[in-house]
Structures are given as C-alpha cells and as structure tokens.
C-alpha cells in the first residue's frame, strides 16, 4: 500500500478575508496611535508585526448607520477606527 504525504497548510497560505493588505495599508495602520506605541522589535524575526497585520487583518469600510458589532456577538477581533467616528449604543438592562 502506498501512502501519500499531505502537506499541512502554513499559517499564511491565505490572507484573512482573502486579500493581503498592501504596504500602504500597513503603513496606515502602523501610523495610528494605538499601533504606533507597539515596538516592532519585540516580535520574533520570523513573525514581524507588519506580516502579522498583512496576513491577519483587513480594512473594512462602513457607511453611516452600518452596524459593526452587537452585544452578544462572538468576538475575537480588534476594531480600530482609522478615519471617521463610531457611536456606541447601549441599552440599559
């Protein structure tokens, strides 16, 4: 019986959301106050901050009135406002 070896996918075989961020996108993200505080040298050489952002993030454009997230939604994401503003509405319980 012959066996085939199946190659496991690597972490970054495909970018999150299907498309890698461009160098300009990465520069825009890293220029934001939250990210500008992060020391890129604190990341391992084989997994630099810019590559993590390039492959594990995406930029989403919302229109006024769009809902980004609702209370109770499963959350494993960081939302950073690059341009514009967001209003948070909380119902008192």
């Amino acid at each position: 019986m012959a066996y085939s070896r199946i190659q496991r996918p690597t972490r970054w075989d495909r970018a999150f959301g299907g498309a890698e961020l461009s160098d300009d996108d990465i520069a825009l993200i890293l220029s934001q106050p939250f990210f500008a505080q992060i020391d890129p040298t604190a990341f391992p050489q084989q997994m630099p901050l810019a590559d993590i952002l390039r492959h594990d993030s995406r930029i989403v454009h919302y229109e006024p009135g769009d809902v980004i997230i609702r209370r109770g939604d499963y959350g494993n994401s960081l939302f950073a406002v690059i341009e514009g503003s967001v209003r948070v509405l909380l119902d008192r319980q």
Side-chain angles (χ1 to χ4, degrees):
M1 176 184 276
Y3 290 97
S4 297
R5 180 166 270 198
I6 298 172
Q7 194 79 9
R8 289 186 79 175
T10 60
R11 174 181 168 90
W12 291 331
D13 277 350
R14 289 188 336 176
F16 178 71
E20 275 188 14
L21 296 180
S22 69
D23 290 339
D24 289 342
D25 292 334
I26 300 300
L28 175 64
I29 292 169
L30 291 174
S31 73
Q32 302 305 304
F34 174 81
F35 290 99
Q37 300 176 60
I38 298 173
D39 177 8
T41 65
F43 291 80
Q45 192 173 23
Q46 68 275 15
M47 193 180 295
L49 175 59
D51 283 353
I52 292 170
L53 292 172
R54 182 179 317 281
H55 298 285
D56 291 339
S57 60
R58 61 186 168 149
I59 295 176
V60 179
H61 300 272
Y62 291 97
E63 297 296 323
D66 285 352
V67 175
I68 298 171
I69 191 168
R70 289 186 168 91
R71 181 185 291 182
D73 285 353
Y74 177 77
N76 62 352
S77 299
L78 166 77
F79 295 92
V81 179
I82 294 175
E83 182 180 302
S85 61
V86 174
R87 188 169 67 176
V88 177
L89 304 174
L90 297 175
D91 292 332
R92 295 179 193 244
Q93 294 183 349

